[in-house]
Amino acid sequence: MESSNLLTPAVLIVFIGVMGLACAEMLGVPNIALLLLLGVLAGPSVFGLLDPEALGPLLPTIIKLGVAIIVFEGAITLSSAGKSWSSRIIRDLSSVGFAITFAFATFFYYLFIEPELPMAMLFAALASVTGPTVVQPLFKRVSVKKDVADILRGEAIFVEPVGVLIAALVFNIVAVSAITVPGAIAFLIRSVITGGALGILTGILLRFTLKGISASDEVRNLYALAVLLGAFAVSESIAADSGVLVAALAGLVLAASEFPGKEQLLVFKGQLTLLIIAVVFILISADINLAHIGRLGFGGIALVVLMVFFARPLSVWLCTRGSRLRFGEKTFLAATAPRGIVAGSVASLFAMQLSELGYPKADNLTNAVFLLIGVTVLLFTPFTPLMARICGIYVNKQQHVIIVGAHSLGRLIASRMQGAGYDATLVDTNQQNCE
Protein backbone atom coordinates (compact mmCIF):
# COMPACT_ATOMS: atom_id res chain seq x y z
CA MET A 1 0.00 0.00 0.00
CA GLU A 2 1.21 3.52 -0.76
CA SER A 3 2.55 5.53 2.15
CA SER A 4 -0.07 8.27 1.60
CA ASN A 5 -2.83 5.69 2.13
CA LEU A 6 -1.22 4.57 5.40
CA LEU A 7 -1.03 8.04 6.90
CA THR A 8 -4.68 8.42 7.92
CA PRO A 9 -5.14 4.99 9.59
CA ALA A 10 -1.76 5.27 11.33
CA VAL A 11 -2.57 8.69 12.80
CA LEU A 12 -6.09 7.57 13.71
CA ILE A 13 -4.75 4.52 15.56
CA VAL A 14 -2.36 6.63 17.63
CA PHE A 15 -5.03 9.29 18.26
CA ILE A 16 -7.68 6.82 19.46
CA GLY A 17 -5.14 4.96 21.58
CA VAL A 18 -3.76 8.04 23.33
CA MET A 19 -7.23 9.53 23.83
CA GLY A 20 -8.26 6.21 25.32
CA LEU A 21 -5.37 6.37 27.78
CA ALA A 22 -6.24 9.93 28.75
CA CYS A 23 -9.95 9.21 29.19
CA ALA A 24 -9.25 6.08 31.22
CA GLU A 25 -7.04 8.04 33.60
CA MET A 26 -9.56 10.85 33.97
CA LEU A 27 -12.44 8.44 34.53
CA GLY A 28 -10.45 6.20 36.84
CA VAL A 29 -11.13 3.04 34.81
CA PRO A 30 -8.62 0.42 33.58
CA ASN A 31 -6.99 1.70 30.40
CA ILE A 32 -6.90 -1.81 28.96
CA ALA A 33 -10.66 -2.18 29.21
CA LEU A 34 -11.32 1.19 27.55
CA LEU A 35 -8.77 0.57 24.79
CA LEU A 36 -10.36 -2.78 24.01
CA LEU A 37 -13.81 -1.20 23.85
CA LEU A 38 -12.64 1.71 21.65
CA GLY A 39 -10.87 -0.67 19.30
CA VAL A 40 -13.99 -2.75 18.79
CA LEU A 41 -16.12 0.35 18.20
CA ALA A 42 -13.63 1.78 15.68
CA GLY A 43 -13.23 -1.53 13.85
CA PRO A 44 -15.01 -2.79 10.72
CA SER A 45 -17.67 -4.68 12.68
CA VAL A 46 -19.12 -1.49 14.24
CA PHE A 47 -18.31 2.02 12.90
CA GLY A 48 -15.65 1.03 10.37
CA LEU A 49 -13.24 3.85 11.22
CA LEU A 50 -10.27 1.47 11.27
CA ASP A 51 -9.32 -1.64 9.33
CA PRO A 52 -6.12 -3.24 10.62
CA GLU A 53 -5.77 -5.19 7.38
CA ALA A 54 -5.14 -1.85 5.62
CA LEU A 55 -1.67 -1.90 7.16
CA GLY A 56 -0.88 -5.03 5.18
CA PRO A 57 2.45 -6.70 6.04
CA LEU A 58 3.23 -3.89 8.49
CA LEU A 59 0.64 -5.23 10.94
CA PRO A 60 2.51 -8.34 12.17
CA THR A 61 5.77 -6.37 12.24
CA ILE A 62 4.28 -3.63 14.41
CA ILE A 63 2.76 -6.15 16.78
CA LYS A 64 5.91 -8.25 17.09
CA LEU A 65 8.17 -5.27 17.77
CA GLY A 66 5.65 -3.82 20.20
CA VAL A 67 5.38 -7.06 22.14
CA ALA A 68 9.18 -7.31 22.33
CA ILE A 69 9.50 -3.83 23.85
CA ILE A 70 6.64 -4.45 26.26
CA VAL A 71 8.13 -7.75 27.45
CA PHE A 72 11.54 -6.10 27.88
CA GLU A 73 10.04 -3.26 29.92
CA GLY A 74 8.13 -5.71 32.09
CA ALA A 75 11.22 -7.83 32.70
CA ILE A 76 13.56 -4.94 33.52
CA THR A 77 11.13 -3.61 36.12
CA LEU A 78 10.71 -7.03 37.76
CA SER A 79 12.00 -6.97 41.31
CA SER A 80 15.26 -8.86 41.59
CA ALA A 81 15.03 -8.92 45.36
CA GLY A 82 12.16 -11.37 45.51
CA LYS A 83 12.09 -14.00 48.25
CA SER A 84 13.07 -17.55 47.38
CA TRP A 85 9.58 -18.85 48.24
CA SER A 86 7.87 -16.35 45.93
CA SER A 87 10.40 -17.19 43.21
CA ARG A 88 9.41 -20.83 43.54
CA ILE A 89 5.74 -19.91 43.08
CA ILE A 90 6.62 -17.92 39.94
CA ARG A 91 8.56 -20.92 38.63
CA ASP A 92 5.70 -23.31 39.39
CA LEU A 93 3.03 -21.08 37.85
CA SER A 94 5.13 -20.64 34.70
CA SER A 95 5.74 -24.38 34.32
CA VAL A 96 3.33 -26.61 36.22
CA GLY A 97 0.62 -23.97 36.16
CA PHE A 98 1.04 -23.46 32.42
CA ALA A 99 0.85 -27.23 31.83
CA ILE A 100 -2.35 -27.53 33.89
CA THR A 101 -4.01 -24.61 32.12
CA PHE A 102 -2.84 -25.91 28.74
CA ALA A 103 -4.30 -29.36 29.38
CA PHE A 104 -7.70 -28.10 30.50
CA ALA A 105 -7.87 -25.45 27.76
CA THR A 106 -7.18 -28.14 25.16
CA PHE A 107 -9.93 -30.35 26.56
CA PHE A 108 -12.50 -27.54 26.89
CA TYR A 109 -11.88 -26.24 23.34
CA TYR A 110 -12.10 -29.77 21.93
CA LEU A 111 -15.33 -30.40 23.84
CA PHE A 112 -17.18 -27.11 23.34
CA ILE A 113 -15.80 -25.48 20.14
CA GLU A 114 -14.59 -28.10 17.67
CA PRO A 115 -13.22 -31.64 17.98
CA GLU A 116 -9.88 -30.85 16.32
CA LEU A 117 -7.00 -31.67 18.65
CA PRO A 118 -4.31 -29.56 16.90
CA MET A 119 -6.54 -26.46 16.88
CA ALA A 120 -7.46 -27.12 20.50
CA MET A 121 -3.77 -27.28 21.44
CA LEU A 122 -3.07 -24.07 19.53
CA PHE A 123 -5.84 -22.30 21.42
CA ALA A 124 -4.56 -23.73 24.71
CA ALA A 125 -1.04 -22.40 24.17
CA LEU A 126 -2.39 -18.88 23.64
CA ALA A 127 -5.10 -19.05 26.30
CA SER A 128 -2.51 -20.01 28.93
CA VAL A 129 -0.60 -16.73 28.47
CA THR A 130 -1.28 -13.66 30.60
CA GLY A 131 1.55 -11.26 29.80
CA PRO A 132 2.86 -7.97 31.18
CA THR A 133 0.75 -5.90 28.77
CA VAL A 134 -2.32 -6.51 30.90
CA VAL A 135 -0.82 -7.31 34.29
CA GLN A 136 1.51 -4.32 34.63
CA PRO A 137 -1.18 -1.63 34.17
CA LEU A 138 -3.30 -3.23 36.90
CA PHE A 139 -0.74 -2.40 39.56
CA LYS A 140 -0.35 1.15 38.34
CA ARG A 141 -4.03 1.54 39.13
CA VAL A 142 -4.25 -0.36 42.40
CA SER A 143 -1.59 -1.03 45.03
CA VAL A 144 -1.46 -4.54 46.46
CA LYS A 145 1.02 -6.40 48.64
CA LYS A 146 4.41 -6.50 46.98
CA ASP A 147 4.77 -10.30 47.12
CA VAL A 148 1.47 -10.84 45.30
CA ALA A 149 2.25 -8.19 42.66
CA ASP A 150 5.73 -9.64 42.09
CA ILE A 151 4.31 -13.15 41.64
CA LEU A 152 1.81 -11.98 39.02
CA ARG A 153 4.42 -9.86 37.22
CA GLY A 154 6.94 -12.70 37.29
CA GLU A 155 4.44 -15.22 35.98
CA ALA A 156 3.44 -12.86 33.16
CA ILE A 157 7.06 -12.30 32.12
CA PHE A 158 8.09 -15.97 32.15
CA VAL A 159 4.94 -17.59 30.79
CA GLU A 160 4.69 -15.32 27.73
CA PRO A 161 7.69 -16.70 25.79
CA VAL A 162 6.69 -20.22 26.85
CA GLY A 163 3.21 -19.78 25.38
CA VAL A 164 4.50 -18.22 22.16
CA LEU A 165 7.05 -20.99 21.57
CA ILE A 166 4.55 -23.77 22.30
CA ALA A 167 2.01 -22.08 19.99
CA ALA A 168 4.65 -21.83 17.26
CA LEU A 169 5.48 -25.51 17.71
CA VAL A 170 1.84 -26.57 17.38
CA PHE A 171 1.29 -24.23 14.44
CA ASN A 172 4.23 -25.75 12.57
CA ILE A 173 2.83 -29.23 13.11
CA VAL A 174 -0.62 -28.14 11.92
CA ALA A 175 0.24 -25.82 9.05
CA VAL A 176 3.42 -27.21 7.52
CA SER A 177 2.42 -30.53 6.05
CA ALA A 178 6.03 -31.46 5.24
CA ILE A 179 7.23 -31.09 8.81
CA THR A 180 7.44 -34.10 11.11
CA VAL A 181 6.97 -34.15 14.86
CA PRO A 182 10.74 -34.57 15.42
CA GLY A 183 11.27 -31.64 13.04
CA ALA A 184 8.87 -29.48 15.03
CA ILE A 185 10.60 -30.40 18.27
CA ALA A 186 13.93 -29.51 16.69
CA PHE A 187 12.40 -26.15 15.75
CA LEU A 188 11.39 -25.60 19.38
CA ILE A 189 14.84 -26.50 20.67
CA ARG A 190 16.46 -24.18 18.12
CA SER A 191 14.14 -21.35 19.16
CA VAL A 192 14.89 -21.83 22.88
CA ILE A 193 18.65 -22.05 22.36
CA THR A 194 18.71 -19.07 19.98
CA GLY A 195 16.44 -16.85 22.05
CA GLY A 196 18.06 -17.89 25.31
CA ALA A 197 21.63 -17.33 24.18
CA LEU A 198 20.95 -14.04 22.41
CA GLY A 199 18.81 -12.78 25.29
CA ILE A 200 21.49 -13.40 27.91
CA LEU A 201 24.25 -12.02 25.68
CA THR A 202 22.19 -8.92 24.89
CA GLY A 203 21.55 -8.32 28.58
CA ILE A 204 25.25 -8.71 29.42
CA LEU A 205 26.25 -6.44 26.53
CA LEU A 206 23.85 -3.73 27.67
CA ARG A 207 24.88 -4.17 31.28
CA PHE A 208 28.56 -3.43 30.59
CA THR A 209 28.21 -0.91 27.75
CA LEU A 210 25.67 1.19 29.63
CA LYS A 211 28.19 1.44 32.45
CA GLY A 212 30.95 2.60 30.15
CA ILE A 213 29.21 4.64 27.47
CA SER A 214 29.76 8.37 27.77
CA ALA A 215 26.57 9.99 26.50
CA SER A 216 23.45 11.78 27.65
CA ASP A 217 20.61 9.81 29.20
CA GLU A 218 18.51 10.35 26.06
CA VAL A 219 21.16 8.80 23.81
CA ARG A 220 21.77 5.94 26.25
CA ASN A 221 18.07 5.13 26.26
CA LEU A 222 17.92 5.05 22.47
CA TYR A 223 21.09 2.97 22.38
CA ALA A 224 19.51 0.35 24.65
CA LEU A 225 16.39 0.30 22.47
CA ALA A 226 18.44 -0.12 19.28
CA VAL A 227 20.49 -2.99 20.74
CA LEU A 228 17.34 -4.76 21.93
CA LEU A 229 15.58 -4.46 18.56
CA GLY A 230 18.73 -5.56 16.75
CA ALA A 231 19.02 -8.68 18.88
CA PHE A 232 15.30 -9.33 18.43
CA ALA A 233 15.61 -9.13 14.63
CA VAL A 234 18.65 -11.42 14.55
CA SER A 235 16.90 -14.00 16.73
CA GLU A 236 13.73 -13.92 14.61
CA SER A 237 15.77 -14.40 11.44
CA ILE A 238 17.41 -17.51 12.91
CA ALA A 239 14.34 -19.02 14.62
CA ALA A 240 10.83 -17.64 14.21
CA ASP A 241 9.04 -16.46 17.37
CA SER A 242 12.22 -16.66 19.49
CA GLY A 243 12.49 -12.86 19.80
CA VAL A 244 10.13 -12.68 22.77
CA LEU A 245 12.53 -14.87 24.76
CA VAL A 246 15.39 -12.51 23.85
CA ALA A 247 13.46 -9.52 25.20
CA ALA A 248 12.48 -11.29 28.41
CA LEU A 249 15.96 -12.57 29.27
CA ALA A 250 17.73 -9.33 28.32
CA GLY A 251 15.36 -7.44 30.60
CA LEU A 252 15.88 -9.86 33.47
CA VAL A 253 19.67 -9.54 33.22
CA LEU A 254 19.38 -5.75 33.41
CA ALA A 255 16.87 -5.98 36.26
CA ALA A 256 19.53 -7.70 38.35
CA SER A 257 22.17 -5.09 37.40
CA GLU A 258 22.99 -1.61 38.55
CA PHE A 259 24.30 0.94 36.06
CA PRO A 260 24.27 4.74 35.63
CA GLY A 261 21.01 6.07 34.25
CA LYS A 262 18.93 3.00 35.10
CA GLU A 263 16.08 5.05 36.52
CA GLN A 264 15.99 7.23 33.40
CA LEU A 265 15.95 4.11 31.23
CA LEU A 266 13.01 2.73 33.21
CA VAL A 267 11.09 5.99 32.78
CA PHE A 268 11.79 6.06 29.03
CA LYS A 269 10.79 2.42 28.55
CA GLY A 270 7.66 2.96 30.64
CA GLN A 271 6.51 5.88 28.49
CA LEU A 272 7.31 4.06 25.25
CA THR A 273 5.53 0.94 26.47
CA LEU A 274 2.41 2.91 27.36
CA LEU A 275 2.20 4.24 23.80
CA ILE A 276 2.81 0.79 22.32
CA ILE A 277 0.13 -0.77 24.53
CA ALA A 278 -2.35 1.82 23.29
CA VAL A 279 -1.48 1.28 19.63
CA VAL A 280 -1.35 -2.52 19.70
CA PHE A 281 -4.53 -2.89 21.75
CA ILE A 282 -6.40 -0.70 19.28
CA LEU A 283 -5.01 -2.74 16.39
CA ILE A 284 -5.93 -6.18 17.71
CA SER A 285 -9.30 -5.17 19.16
CA ALA A 286 -10.34 -3.41 15.93
CA ASP A 287 -10.10 -6.81 14.25
CA ILE A 288 -12.75 -8.28 16.54
CA ASN A 289 -16.05 -9.18 14.87
CA LEU A 290 -18.73 -9.34 17.54
CA ALA A 291 -21.12 -11.27 15.30
CA HIS A 292 -18.56 -14.00 14.71
CA ILE A 293 -17.81 -14.29 18.40
CA GLY A 294 -21.52 -14.59 19.09
CA ARG A 295 -21.65 -17.64 16.84
CA LEU A 296 -19.70 -19.61 19.44
CA GLY A 297 -22.90 -19.61 21.48
CA PHE A 298 -23.14 -21.73 24.62
CA GLY A 299 -19.88 -23.47 23.80
CA GLY A 300 -17.95 -20.21 23.95
CA ILE A 301 -19.55 -19.24 27.24
CA ALA A 302 -18.85 -22.65 28.78
CA LEU A 303 -15.24 -22.50 27.57
CA VAL A 304 -14.55 -19.12 29.16
CA VAL A 305 -16.40 -19.88 32.41
CA LEU A 306 -14.45 -23.10 32.94
CA MET A 307 -11.14 -21.44 32.05
CA VAL A 308 -11.71 -18.58 34.49
CA PHE A 309 -13.46 -20.32 37.37
CA PHE A 310 -11.97 -23.81 37.20
CA ALA A 311 -8.65 -24.08 35.34
CA ARG A 312 -7.04 -20.94 36.79
CA PRO A 313 -8.05 -21.52 40.43
CA LEU A 314 -6.96 -25.16 40.24
CA SER A 315 -3.62 -24.14 38.76
CA VAL A 316 -3.01 -21.52 41.46
CA TRP A 317 -4.06 -23.86 44.26
CA LEU A 318 -1.71 -26.65 43.12
CA CYS A 319 1.21 -24.26 42.57
CA THR A 320 0.86 -22.50 45.93
CA ARG A 321 0.29 -25.49 48.22
CA GLY A 322 2.55 -25.33 51.23
CA SER A 323 3.55 -21.72 50.54
CA ARG A 324 3.32 -18.78 52.92
CA LEU A 325 0.51 -17.22 50.93
CA ARG A 326 -2.75 -16.75 52.78
CA PHE A 327 -6.15 -17.73 51.45
CA GLY A 328 -6.98 -14.17 50.36
CA GLU A 329 -3.69 -13.84 48.48
CA LYS A 330 -4.27 -17.14 46.70
CA THR A 331 -7.80 -16.05 45.83
CA PHE A 332 -6.51 -12.84 44.28
CA LEU A 333 -3.94 -14.77 42.23
CA ALA A 334 -6.67 -17.12 41.04
CA ALA A 335 -8.92 -14.23 40.02
CA THR A 336 -6.22 -12.23 38.23
CA ALA A 337 -5.23 -13.73 34.90
CA PRO A 338 -6.27 -11.31 32.13
CA ARG A 339 -5.19 -12.15 28.58
CA GLY A 340 -4.00 -9.46 26.20
CA ILE A 341 -1.77 -8.50 23.31
CA VAL A 342 0.23 -11.68 22.88
CA ALA A 343 -2.75 -14.03 22.88
CA GLY A 344 -4.79 -11.80 20.55
CA SER A 345 -2.05 -10.88 18.08
CA VAL A 346 -0.59 -14.37 17.69
CA ALA A 347 -4.08 -15.86 17.37
CA SER A 348 -4.92 -13.38 14.60
CA LEU A 349 -1.70 -14.05 12.71
CA PHE A 350 -1.99 -17.84 12.94
CA ALA A 351 -5.68 -17.84 12.01
CA MET A 352 -4.92 -15.69 8.96
CA GLN A 353 -2.27 -18.12 7.78
CA LEU A 354 -4.47 -21.16 8.49
CA SER A 355 -7.30 -19.60 6.45
CA GLU A 356 -4.90 -19.18 3.53
CA LEU A 357 -4.01 -22.86 3.86
CA GLY A 358 -7.68 -23.83 3.60
CA TYR A 359 -8.70 -24.43 7.21
CA PRO A 360 -12.44 -23.56 7.15
CA LYS A 361 -12.80 -23.07 10.91
CA ALA A 362 -9.65 -21.07 11.54
CA ASP A 363 -11.79 -18.14 12.70
CA ASN A 364 -12.90 -20.21 15.69
CA LEU A 365 -9.41 -19.79 17.09
CA THR A 366 -9.48 -15.98 17.08
CA ASN A 367 -13.11 -15.86 18.19
CA ALA A 368 -12.44 -18.05 21.22
CA VAL A 369 -9.24 -16.20 22.16
CA PHE A 370 -10.86 -12.77 21.83
CA LEU A 371 -13.87 -13.91 23.85
CA LEU A 372 -11.51 -14.95 26.62
CA ILE A 373 -9.64 -11.64 26.35
CA GLY A 374 -12.88 -9.67 26.46
CA VAL A 375 -14.22 -11.44 29.52
CA THR A 376 -10.96 -11.35 31.51
CA VAL A 377 -10.21 -7.72 30.63
CA LEU A 378 -13.64 -6.08 30.54
CA LEU A 379 -15.29 -8.09 33.28
CA PHE A 380 -12.52 -8.60 35.84
CA THR A 381 -10.02 -5.73 35.59
CA PRO A 382 -12.57 -3.03 36.57
CA PHE A 383 -13.15 -4.93 39.81
CA THR A 384 -9.48 -5.49 40.66
CA PRO A 385 -9.42 -2.76 43.38
CA LEU A 386 -12.56 -4.20 44.99
CA MET A 387 -11.16 -7.72 44.75
CA ALA A 388 -7.91 -6.56 46.37
CA ARG A 389 -9.83 -5.10 49.31
CA ILE A 390 -12.01 -8.21 49.71
CA CYS A 391 -8.93 -10.44 49.67
CA GLY A 392 -7.21 -8.24 52.22
CA ILE A 393 -4.18 -7.39 50.07
CA TYR A 394 -5.00 -3.79 49.16
CA VAL A 395 -2.22 -1.45 50.29
CA ASN A 396 -2.56 2.27 50.69
CA LYS A 397 0.51 3.94 49.21
CA GLN A 398 1.13 5.49 52.61
CA GLN A 399 0.94 2.09 54.31
CA HIS A 400 4.39 0.81 53.42
CA VAL A 401 7.03 0.16 56.06
CA ILE A 402 10.63 -1.04 55.82
CA ILE A 403 11.93 -3.16 58.69
CA VAL A 404 15.69 -3.42 59.12
CA GLY A 405 16.62 -6.94 60.17
CA ALA A 406 14.95 -10.12 58.85
CA HIS A 407 15.56 -12.08 62.05
CA SER A 408 12.75 -13.74 63.99
CA LEU A 409 11.68 -10.53 65.71
CA GLY A 410 11.69 -8.62 62.41
CA ARG A 411 9.61 -11.35 60.78
CA LEU A 412 7.13 -11.25 63.66
CA ILE A 413 6.77 -7.47 63.38
CA ALA A 414 6.37 -7.74 59.59
CA SER A 415 3.69 -10.41 59.99
CA ARG A 416 1.73 -8.25 62.44
CA MET A 417 2.09 -5.19 60.18
CA GLN A 418 0.83 -7.15 57.19
CA GLY A 419 -2.09 -8.41 59.23
CA ALA A 420 -2.96 -4.78 59.99
CA GLY A 421 -3.03 -3.95 56.26
CA TYR A 422 0.50 -2.59 55.83
CA ASP A 423 2.94 -3.65 53.12
CA ALA A 424 6.08 -4.58 55.06
CA THR A 425 9.49 -5.06 53.46
CA LEU A 426 12.34 -6.73 55.36
CA VAL A 427 15.96 -5.80 54.60
CA ASP A 428 19.00 -7.62 55.97
CA THR A 429 22.66 -8.03 55.02
CA ASN A 430 22.40 -11.74 55.86
CA GLN A 431 21.16 -13.54 52.73
CA GLN A 432 19.94 -16.56 54.73
CA ASN A 433 17.57 -14.36 56.72
CA CYS A 434 16.03 -13.10 53.47
CA GLU A 435 15.08 -16.56 52.20
Side-chain angles (χ1 to χ4, degrees):
M1 179 177 286
E2 297 180 0
S3 59
S4 59
N5 295 331
L6 288 175
L7 180 61
T8 300
V11 172
L12 193 56
I13 290 168
V14 174
F15 178 80
I16 294 176
V18 173
M19 290 301 104
L21 292 176
C23 291
E25 189 165 315
M26 288 187 292
L27 296 173
V29 299
N31 55 22
I32 300 171
L34 189 56
L35 289 172
L36 186 58
L37 179 61
L38 289 176
V40 172
L41 293 176
S45 66
V46 184
F47 293 114
L49 299 176
L50 289 177
D51 184 4
E53 294 183 2
L55 297 176
L58 287 177
L59 179 60
T61 302
I62 293 172
I63 292 176
K64 280 191 172 185
L65 291 177
V67 169
I69 294 172
I70 291 168
V71 170
F72 178 74
E73 192 267 346
I76 198 175
T77 56
L78 189 64
S79 173
S80 59
K83 303 177 182 65
S84 59
W85 63 266
S86 61
S87 298
R88 287 195 295 270
I89 294 176
I90 293 173
R91 179 200 62 196
D92 292 345
L93 284 173
S94 304
S95 54
V96 178
F98 177 87
I100 293 171
T101 306
F102 179 88
F104 279 107
T106 300
F107 174 71
F108 295 149
Y109 186 94
Y110 186 93
L111 181 64
F112 294 111
I113 305 301
E114 58 175 317
E116 294 287 340
L117 184 59
M119 292 297 291
M121 294 174 64
L122 189 55
F123 166 80
L126 300 175
S128 303
V129 171
T130 54
T133 59
V134 283
V135 172
Q136 293 278 42
L138 290 179
F139 301 119
K140 293 180 180 179
R141 180 171 174 262
V142 57
S143 295
V144 301
K145 290 183 178 180
K146 185 176 181 299
D147 292 334
V148 176
D150 283 346
I151 289 171
L152 286 170
R153 288 193 186 104
E155 178 196 10
I157 294 298
F158 287 107
V159 81
E160 193 162 63
V162 172
V164 171
L165 291 175
I166 295 298
L169 169 65
V170 177
F171 176 77
N172 274 272
I173 295 176
V174 174
V176 184
S177 57
I179 196 172
T180 61
V181 172
I185 295 176
F187 159 82
L188 178 62
I189 295 174
R190 184 172 68 251
S191 297
V192 172
I193 293 175
T194 302
L198 279 175
I200 294 173
L201 289 175
T202 301
I204 294 174
L205 173 64
L206 286 173
R207 176 182 179 179
F208 286 102
T209 54
L210 286 173
K211 286 182 178 180
I213 189 173
S214 178
S216 63
D217 290 334
E218 292 79 8
V219 173
R220 292 159 63 89
N221 294 339
L222 293 175
Y223 164 78
L225 177 62
V227 171
L228 170 68
L229 294 181
F232 174 84
V234 171
S235 184
E236 287 284 324
S237 66
I238 297 174
D241 300 308
S242 63
V244 174
L245 186 57
V246 171
L249 291 179
L252 289 173
V253 171
L254 287 182
S257 309
E258 293 298 331
F259 51 87
K262 183 175 182 178
E263 291 300 323
Q264 288 77 10
L265 177 62
L266 293 176
V267 171
F268 169 71
K269 287 292 188 291
Q271 293 171 338
L272 181 61
T273 297
L274 196 59
L275 175 61
I276 291 173
I277 288 175
V279 170
V280 176
F281 250 95
I282 293 297
L283 280 173
I284 66 171
S285 58
D287 200 37
I288 298 175
N289 191 313
L290 297 178
H292 291 175
I293 292 179
R295 294 174 188 171
L296 295 178
F298 170 79
I301 297 174
L303 171 69
V304 171
V305 168
L306 288 172
M307 286 292 296
V308 172
F309 295 105
F310 178 78
R312 174 64 179 182
L314 178 63
S315 171
V316 170
W317 180 76
L318 291 175
C319 293
T320 58
R321 282 190 307 169
S323 71
R324 301 179 186 179
L325 291 178
R326 300 176 179 178
F327 178 77
E329 294 167 333
K330 294 179 181 181
T331 302
F332 186 82
L333 292 177
T336 310
R339 278 66 169 185
I341 287 177
V342 173
S345 60
V346 177
S348 296
L349 296 177
F350 283 171
M352 189 183 305
Q353 296 177 53
L354 289 173
S355 296
E356 294 175 355
L357 293 173
Y359 282 80
K361 296 183 179 180
D363 284 348
N364 283 343
L365 175 65
T366 53
N367 294 337
V369 169
F370 280 124
L371 179 61
L372 184 61
I373 292 174
V375 171
T376 55
V377 170
L378 292 177
L379 182 60
F380 288 96
T381 56
F383 300 101
T384 300
L386 177 61
M387 191 67 184
R389 293 179 184 275
I390 293 175
C391 294
I393 63 168
Y394 177 82
V395 175
N396 189 302
K397 293 184 178 180
Q398 297 178 348
Q399 291 180 310
H400 185 91
V401 295
I402 297 177
I403 300 172
V404 179
H407 41 68
S408 57
L409 178 59
R411 292 174 183 269
L412 177 60
I413 295 174
S415 177
R416 297 295 175 85
M417 295 295 288
Q418 289 177 340
Y422 288 83
D423 188 24
T425 300
L426 291 164
V427 294
D428 200 311
T429 56
N430 189 334
Q431 180 63 31
Q432 292 182 346
N433 287 343
C434 298
E435 294 181 352

